[in-house]
Amino acid sequence: DQQVKQNSPSLSVQEGRISILNCDYTNSMFDYFLWYKKYPAEGPTFLISISSIKDKNEDGRFTVFLNKSAKHLSLHIVPSQPGDSAVYFCARIQGAQKLVFGQGTRLTINP
Amino acid sequence: GAGVSQSPRYKVAKRGQDVALRCDPISGHVSLFWYQQALGQGPEFLTYFQNEAQLDKSGLPSDRFFAERPEGSVSTLKIQRTQQEDSAVYLCASSYLAGGPGELFFGEGSRLTVL
């Protein structure tokens, strides 16, 4: 049962524009969601998180939105930069510590 | 070192061989995790330690997989009698108790190829 789903395997955006990465989830109760970013041959790195008591969390160019009624979260990157090209994973916490990841979306920023 | 260190970075094994993958977490990090990432997929949880105690091993796919962290620092993931479906990147991550929920520091991974 896929608890966290990223339906777009890839996304291409022009430099300077907004990138929007999407994630859907099931089985919602109190939840905590995170976004991780992964470059080739490196481990994932934490980017931003949001608790289900909030609708929005912002950190510089990165904003995560949580729509609880739609069971949907999104990551907005604005303006997009070439260094943002990477694979992005959404994840939720299950239990005390376990992370459940989506399949990932490969973001390519074109100059 | 400053980050989570994993070795070997690459391992090729013949089917049926045993392999051992090592993880050196960030110094002082109490929690340690192992994840398995198949090609084109997100990481999948294998097991979790707090200090030397293995608190959750629900993600280990079979009894061929075994993990230990005897002194609460370095951890080893052992796979016995490897099968082709074990081919994946094995990621180790650590975290400190005061950190935010789910904020893990990942190593670069050990890529296992079983022929």
Side-chain angles (χ1 to χ4, degrees), chain B residues 4-113:
Chain B
V4 176
S5 178
Q6 292 189 244
S7 61
R9 290 291 313 277
Y10 303 93
K11 175 69 178 177
V12 179
K14 291 183 179 178
R15 191 174 56 176
Q17 278 186 328
D18 297 349
V19 300
L21 308 175
R22 175 190 168 105
C23 173
D24 246 302
I26 293 172
S27 177
H29 278 197
V30 168
S31 301
L32 185 144
F33 304 79
W34 284 97
Y35 283 81
Q36 179 191 57
Q37 185 176 15
L39 192 63
Q41 301 297 316
E44 291 194 3
F45 172 83
L46 292 176
T47 187
Y48 158 58
F49 291 85
Q50 189 162 315
N51 295 306
E52 69 278 3
Q54 189 174 21
L55 298 186
D56 187 342
K57 54 181 181 178
S58 62
L60 295 176
S62 77
D63 58 6
R64 297 186 296 104
F65 286 72
F66 172 76
E68 60 183 4
R69 194 186 185 198
E71 296 177 0
S73 178
V74 171
S75 176
T76 304
L77 176 67
K78 297 179 180 177
I79 309 173
Q80 297 177 320
R81 305 180 304 281
T82 52
Q83 303 294 317
Q84 285 189 321
E85 61 262 27
D86 300 335
S87 296
V89 176
Y90 291 86
L91 294 163
C92 177
S94 66
S95 69
Y96 55 103
L97 289 177
E103 292 181 30
L104 306 184
F105 294 80
F106 281 87
E108 294 174 321
S110 291
R111 180 179 295 276
L112 172 65
T113 303

Side-chain angles (χ1 to χ4, degrees), chain A:
Chain A
D1 180 26
Q2 187 73 42
Q3 294 186 29
V4 180
K5 208 164 196 176
Q6 294 175 258
N7 291 313
S8 298
S10 63
L11 175 67
S12 187
V13 174
Q14 194 169 1
E15 181 179 358
R17 299 287 183 103
I18 183 170
S19 296
I20 300 176
L21 298 132
N22 295 302
C23 183
D24 297 305
Y25 62 92
T26 59
N27 303 328
S28 63
M29 290 173 61
F30 171 75
D31 270 310
Y32 201 90
F33 298 94
L34 305 97
W35 285 92
Y36 275 78
K37 174 180 178 179
K38 185 180 183 305
Y39 292 119
E42 293 185 12
T45 55
F46 169 75
L47 194 55
I48 193 169
S49 62
I50 187 167
S51 163
S52 59
I53 63 174
K54 292 186 175 181
D55 297 322
K56 173 183 172 180
N57 188 26
E58 190 172 352
D59 183 3
R61 296 185 299 113
F62 302 90
T63 303
V64 56
F65 294 92
L66 180 60
N67 182 334
K68 290 180 278 294
S69 60
K71 297 183 182 179
H72 178 85
L73 71 155
S74 60
L75 174 68
H76 292 210
I77 307 172
V78 55
S80 301
Q81 299 174 354
D84 297 329
S85 294
V87 178
Y88 289 79
F89 294 98
C90 67
R92 72 190 289 180
I93 291 183
Q94 183 179 63
Q97 289 279 348
K98 185 189 305 186
L99 287 181
V100 179
F101 287 88
Q103 306 95 312
T105 297
R106 180 178 301 278
L107 174 65
T108 303
I109 306 301
N110 301 308

